Amino acid sequence: MFEPLAAAGKGETRATDDPIRRTRQKRSGAGGSDPVFKEHGEPYFREGERKVIARLLRTGPQVLATGGGAFMMAETRDCIRQSGISVWLKAELALLLRRVLRRNNRPLLAKDPEGAMRQLMEARYPIYAKADITVESHDLPHDAIVAEIIAALAHSPLLRADAKAAIDETGTIATDPKHVANSR
């Protein structure tokens, strides 16, 4: 989904689970986050995820898609806030369930997906609301949501005027960290 957003910003798109998955595959031949959760637990996974996010944020302009639990860690939120602009794609329960039930790689949803999702939303949504920008996610084509994200960024006081001008003129996002306002 994030490739069009990264293309608009002339950067890369990365998912934080990918480096964790690759590291896990190199070490044991197993893939995905599920074996890490099963063998070492969620705190271990989140610590690895925190390190991956911090490393990736130092690599330049990009759209970084984190997993749902990543933003729950205060240290990770601070790292994101120092290096960029966080965007929460807020969605209703029914939409989230349709999306996550397409795959069986969600260890926190294994037993009772709807009940677990309700609990996660109750615990996480107040923290997610700390994101710099919130965009309502709907059952729309990805390009429509990307356009909403770009519009929200264009109106954000966190994006410097020169980056906003670039959006206005070209419809693209200047994702260089120097375009993030330092007046937080």
Side-chain angles (χ1 to χ4, degrees):
M1 169 180 176
F2 299 103
E3 287 78 8
L5 185 59
K10 297 184 175 46
E12 291 185 60
T13 184
R14 295 183 174 139
T16 57
D17 285 350
D18 293 344
I20 295 168
R21 202 173 286 122
R22 281 193 302 274
T23 299
R24 178 70 185 149
Q25 286 171 337
K26 285 179 188 174
R27 290 184 183 161
S28 70
S33 60
D34 193 29
V36 177
F37 267 74
K38 284 180 181 174
E39 292 178 27
H40 302 287
E42 185 178 4
Y44 178 87
F45 177 81
R46 296 294 173 213
E47 178 59 20
E49 184 177 52
R50 181 195 63 74
K51 291 175 183 176
V52 166
I53 290 169
R55 179 177 51 79
L56 290 174
L57 286 172
R58 291 190 299 268
T59 63
Q62 63 192 296
V63 173
L64 184 61
T66 66
F71 204 69
M72 295 301 292
M73 294 183 65
E75 189 174 349
T76 300
R77 284 193 309 275
D78 291 343
C79 187
I80 292 168
R81 181 163 280 117
Q82 291 169 13
S83 300
I85 297 173
S86 58
V87 178
W88 173 27
L89 297 177
K90 184 178 182 181
E92 298 298 323
L93 177 64
L95 179 59
L96 289 173
L97 285 173
R98 279 196 306 276
R99 289 177 179 170
V100 301
L101 292 177
R102 291 179 192 154
R103 297 187 215 146
N104 63 351
N105 64 343
R106 305 287 182 158
L108 297 178
L109 304 178
K111 294 180 183 172
D112 173 17
E114 184 172 341
M117 184 62 75
R118 285 182 190 280
Q119 288 180 337
L120 288 170
M121 289 171 72
E122 186 176 306
R124 291 179 175 183
Y125 273 30
I127 302 298
Y128 292 171
K130 295 179 180 185
D132 297 317
I133 295 172
T134 299
V135 172
E136 293 287 335
S137 185
H138 305 283
D139 210 357
L140 298 172
H142 291 154
D143 289 347
I145 300 297
V146 168
E148 289 183 29
I149 295 169
I150 291 171
L153 285 166
H155 292 95
S156 173
L158 297 175
L159 205 58
R160 288 192 357 207
D162 54 343
K164 287 181 185 185
I167 290 174
D168 292 341
E169 290 175 17
T170 66
T172 62
I173 309 166
T175 56
D176 193 308
K178 70 183 176 192
H179 293 293
V180 176
N182 292 324
S183 60
R184 290 188 193 237

